Amino acid sequence: MTTLAHLLDDFEFLTDWEDRYRHLIELGHTLPGLAEDEHTEANRVTGCMSQVWLVADQQPDGRYIFRADSDGIIAKGLIAIVLLAYSGKTSAEIAAVDIDTIFKQLGLDQHLVVNRRNGFFAMVARIKALAQVPAH
Amino acid sequence: MAAAARMNAPAQSAPYDVAAVRRDFPILSRQVHGKPLVYLDNAASAQKSRCVIEAMCQLYEQEYSNVHRGVHVLSGLATTRFEAGRETVRRFLNAASANEIVFTRGATEAINLVAQTFGRSQLTAGDEIILSVLEHHANIVPWQLLAQEKGLSLKIVPLDARGQIMLDEYEALLSPRVKLVALAHMSNVLGTVLPVADIVRLAHARGIPVLLDGSQAVTHQLVDLQALDADFYVFSGHKLYGPTGVGVLYGKEALLNTLPPWQGGGDMIETVTFAGSTFKPAPQRFEAGTPAIAEVIGLAAAIEYLEQLGMGNVHAHEAMLLEHASTELAGVPGVTLQGTAPGKGAIISFTIQGAHAQDIALLLDQQGIAVRVGHHCCMPLMAHLGVTGTVRASFGLYNTLDEVDGFVRAVRKAAELLV
C-alpha cells in the first residue's frame, strides 16, 4: 500500500501539471470507493463541487478508518491523498495532521481552484467532526 | 433611428478588428497557471473594457455625489450623468421612453420586482404562469414563491431534441387562466434563441402579457423593444460588459404606472405623512433609496462601447466563433453537444462520455481556459437532458478563432487524460 512518504517521493519528480494530474487521476482509479447503499445524503459532504461521500469506522483501539467516494475522478484522487493523511489514526493524531503542508509538498496547492479548496476543506472538516476533534 | 440600421447585419464600414477590441480589455492580457488567459465564461459574467473602468473612476474622482434633489454642483453633475445613463439604455433597446427603464440590482431583482408588483396585485388563485424547461432559476423561483403564496400554477413549455421550445405546445398552454408568460429570450445553457416574436404575438392575441429574460440575448444581438413588443424585459449589466450590481427592468410605461410599489423608501415618493404616502410614477416608483450611481454610469459606458462596435458586427463575429467551435468540438471523440437549435447564440454546452464535467473544467483551467461547469442554475433543464451538469463555453466579443482552437485542443487533452 502506498504511504504518504511514497506519494511525496512520486510527486517530487512530476514537474508539469499534466504529469501531476495524470498521477492524481491514477490515484483516483485506485480508490476503492463506497458501496452504492453508502451513497446516502447523510454520508454526503456538502460544499464540494463534485459529489463526495465519506464514512468513518472506529476500530476497537480507537483509531478511525475513513472510506470515501466521489463521482469525479480528480476528486477521487484528492480523496485518496486525504485518506492517506488521516485514515487509521486516533483523534489526537488526526488533530495534528497539517494537510495544507502536505498539499504544498505535493505541489497541488496552487492547482486546487478556490471552489475545490473550499469543498476540500469541507471534507477535512467532516473527517475532524467524525473523529470528534474539538474545533480549535 | 431607421429600422434597417437596427438590423443584425454587419455594418458596411470598417471590418471587425478583434485585436484592437482585446486591447480595450485590460484583464485579457493576464496569464493563469503560466498560460495566456482564454476567457470563455462570458455567459456568467463578461470582462470590462477600460472605458467602463475609467467612466466609474472619473465619476468618483471628479463628479460624485448623491443623485436627485441636490442643489449643489456635484449633485447636478451626478444626476445628469445618471439620467443620461438611463437614456443610453433606452436608446440601446429602442424603448419608447426613458421612463420605461427601471434600474435594479440585476435581472434576478428585476424578475422578483415584477413578481412582487404585477404578480401580487394582478394574479389570483387558479391563475397560471407559463415558463419553459430551459429557464434559469431566476425565472423559476420567484414565480414558485408567488405561486405558493397565491395558489397559482406554473405551466412548463417542453423542448424538442435540439433544445428549442415547442411552439405548438406553447400555444396549447395559452388557456384563459394564463395571466403571464415568462420566458428566456436566449438560453444560458444551450444558446437557443427562442422564437420571441411568435411568443409575444400568440400571447398578445389572447391579451396575455409577456416577460422576457434578456440576460443572454442582449449581449449577443440587437434587441429592439418596440418591434419586439414584450411587456417586460430584464437583463443584468455585468453580462453586458458593464459593472456588477446593476440591471434593468424594462416595462411598458402605462403598465408600470398601474403597478404598486415594491420596496418603499426615499426617492420613490411624492409625499409622506404618517397617515399615508403617495408615490411617483415609473421609473422612480420602483427605485427606492440611493441607486447604484457609478454602476449605472459604467453600464452606460459599456453600452456606448457596444454601440461603437455595432451589435451587428459583434453578432457576426460571435456567430463565426460559434460555428467553428461547434464543428471542431463535435469532432472530439466522446463529445456530445447539448443544444443544436438553428440560429442559436454563441454558447456551447457539452459533455464527454466517461468524464465528469467538473474534471474536464478543472483540466481546462490548468491550460488557462476559463469555462463554467455544473447545472448553470438550470436544474430542471439538466434533469430534462439527463445529465448532472455540463461544461459550458460562452463566447464574447473579444474572443478569437485562435482561442477557439486552443480551447478545442485543451478539451482533447482533458479527454485523453480522463477517458
Side-chain angles (χ1 to χ4, degrees):
Chain A
M1 193 189 119
T2 312
T3 64
L4 205 54
H6 285 141
L7 204 64
L8 289 169
D9 283 348
D10 290 347
F11 270 86
E12 205 184 334
F13 298 101
L14 305 176
T15 47
D16 80 343
W17 75 271
E18 207 179 313
D19 290 337
R20 282 176 199 280
Y21 271 85
R22 211 183 286 279
H23 204 71
L24 200 54
I25 289 163
E26 279 169 21
L27 272 176
H29 285 300
T30 66
L31 188 75
L34 294 172
E36 203 50 48
D37 64 2
E38 290 175 305
H39 288 176
T40 63
E41 200 50 37
N43 290 336
R44 201 162 74 86
V45 182
T46 54
C48 301
M49 288 185 77
S50 305
Q51 296 200 80
V52 172
W53 300 269
L54 178 74
V55 173
D57 308 309
Q58 195 175 13
Q59 305 299 298
D61 64 0
R63 292 173 188 278
Y64 291 89
I65 304 290
F66 295 103
R67 296 175 296 118
D69 204 354
S70 174
D71 55 351
I73 193 66
I74 293 173
K76 284 180 83 167
L78 294 170
I79 288 168
I81 297 171
V82 171
L83 297 192
L84 279 177
Y86 286 105
S87 195
K89 293 189 169 165
T90 64
S91 184
E93 288 167 339
I94 286 167
V97 170
D98 181 359
I99 195 75
D100 282 357
T101 302
I102 291 168
F103 272 82
K104 217 167 272 174
Q105 287 169 341
L106 291 170
L108 287 169
D109 55 329
Q110 313 133 10
H111 295 267
L112 301 171
V113 296
V114 175
N115 282 324
R116 186 161 288 266
R117 281 183 68 90
N118 290 342
F120 190 68
F121 290 131
M123 186 162 75
V124 170
R126 175 68 73 90
I127 283 174
K128 290 182 176 174
L130 289 168
Q132 300 181 332
V133 172
H136 304 290
Chain B
M1 187 183 283
R6 295 190 58 82
M7 303 274 286
N8 271 326
Q12 295 295 314
S13 52
Y16 192 79
D17 184 354
V18 71
V21 169
R22 291 183 69 79
R23 286 194 292 275
D24 294 333
F25 290 79
I27 205 169
L28 296 180
S29 58
R30 70 157 287 167
Q31 297 203 324
V32 292
H33 300 305
K35 300 175 183 76
L37 167 68
V38 175
Y39 189 77
L40 302 180
D41 195 18
N42 296 287
S45 201
Q47 299 298 347
K48 319 308 171 198
S49 67
R50 192 174 285 105
C51 67
V52 170
I53 299 163
E54 285 177 354
M56 294 174 76
C57 280
Q58 193 200 323
L59 176 83
Y60 280 130
E61 290 182 358
Q62 304 284 334
E63 298 165 325
Y64 180 75
S65 165
N66 208 334
V67 292
H68 304 142
R69 296 181 319 283
V71 292
H72 59 80
V73 170
L74 290 184
S75 184
L77 275 174
T79 302
T80 303
R81 294 203 56 198
F82 180 79
E83 291 303 330
R86 199 187 303 276
E87 169 57 22
T88 300
V89 174
R90 183 211 66 76
R91 183 180 69 228
F92 183 61
L93 300 173
N94 195 31
S97 161
N99 292 336
E100 299 178 320
I101 307 301
V102 178
F103 288 118
T104 63
R105 278 192 299 138
T108 297
E109 189 178 66
I111 294 173
N112 277 277
L113 195 162
V114 176
Q116 294 300 313
T117 57
F118 173 83
R120 288 184 86 174
S121 68
Q122 307 206 8
L123 273 63
T124 53
D127 286 347
E128 296 173 354
I129 299 172
I130 292 189
L131 310 176
S132 83
V133 170
L134 56 68
E135 299 310 315
H136 189 284
H137 295 164
N139 195 33
I140 299 175
V141 182
W143 307 118
Q144 268 178 342
L145 293 172
L146 184 71
Q148 281 162 14
E149 183 188 318
K150 307 207 63 151
L152 316 173
S153 57
L154 306 178
K155 299 290 172 186
I156 312 302
V157 186
L159 299 184
D160 66 20
R162 302 183 76 176
Q164 182 57 276
I165 66 152
M166 297 166 107
L167 202 58
D168 50 347
E169 299 279 345
Y170 163 73
E171 189 172 6
L173 286 174
L174 291 170
S175 80
R177 290 192 298 188
V178 175
K179 293 291 153 47
L180 179 70
V181 169
L183 295 171
H185 188 168
M186 173 175 161
S187 163
N188 67 309
V189 174
L190 306 174
T192 309
V193 177
L194 275 66
V196 285
D198 291 330
I199 286 166
V200 172
R201 179 178 52 79
L202 290 167
H204 282 183
R206 293 158 180 82
I208 303 165
V210 177
L211 176 146
L212 294 176
D213 174 1
S215 299
Q216 299 298 332
V218 284
T219 74
H220 296 291
Q221 63 178 79
L222 198 61
V223 172
D224 183 331
L225 286 178
Q226 289 187 75
L228 191 55
D229 202 28
D231 302 273
F232 298 109
Y233 196 90
V234 307
F235 66 93
S236 291
H238 68 95
K239 295 188 205 289
L240 193 64
Y241 307 93
T244 54
V246 66
V248 168
L249 165 66
Y250 159 87
K252 286 181 177 169
E253 190 168 5
L255 176 57
L256 286 179
N257 284 325
T258 64
L259 302 180
W262 175 29
Q263 296 175 334
D267 238 23
M268 50 83 76
I269 50 83
E270 264 165 357
T271 61
V272 176
T273 69
F274 282 110
S277 304
T278 57
F279 306 109
K280 285 182 182 162
Q284 281 78 22
R285 176 177 300 188
F286 305 105
E287 293 181 355
T290 295
I293 302 166
E295 287 73 15
V296 164
I297 284 156
L299 174 60
I303 288 175
E304 281 160 15
Y305 182 81
L306 287 166
E307 287 175 329
Q308 254 173 18
L309 291 179
M311 282 310 287
N313 294 323
V314 169
H315 181 80
H317 175 72
E318 291 176 350
M320 175 191 69
L321 298 176
L322 176 69
E323 193 189 339
H324 186 58
S326 303
T327 308
E328 293 298 310
L329 206 55
V332 178
V335 163
T336 302
L337 299 183
Q338 304 284 357
T340 54
K344 65 175 268 184
I347 291 177
I348 290 189
S349 265
F350 67 97
T351 50
I352 298 179
Q353 194 171 12
H356 195 287
Q358 195 75 45
D359 291 340
I360 299 164
L362 197 64
L363 295 178
L364 293 182
D365 174 62
Q366 288 297 316
Q367 300 172 78
I369 294 165
V371 294
R372 193 141 293 250
V373 62
H375 53 62
H376 315 292
C377 295
C378 293
M379 290 173 89
L381 175 59
M382 295 297 121
H384 165 80
L385 296 172
V387 298
T388 54
T390 69
V391 182
R392 180 186 70 185
S394 49
F395 304 99
L397 53 83
Y398 37 59
N399 292 124
T400 67
L401 282 173
D402 281 350
E403 287 183 317
V404 172
D405 287 335
F407 158 66
V408 176
R409 270 197 306 276
V411 172
R412 282 185 187 278
K413 171 68 75 185
E416 175 199 316
L417 285 166
L418 290 167
V419 180

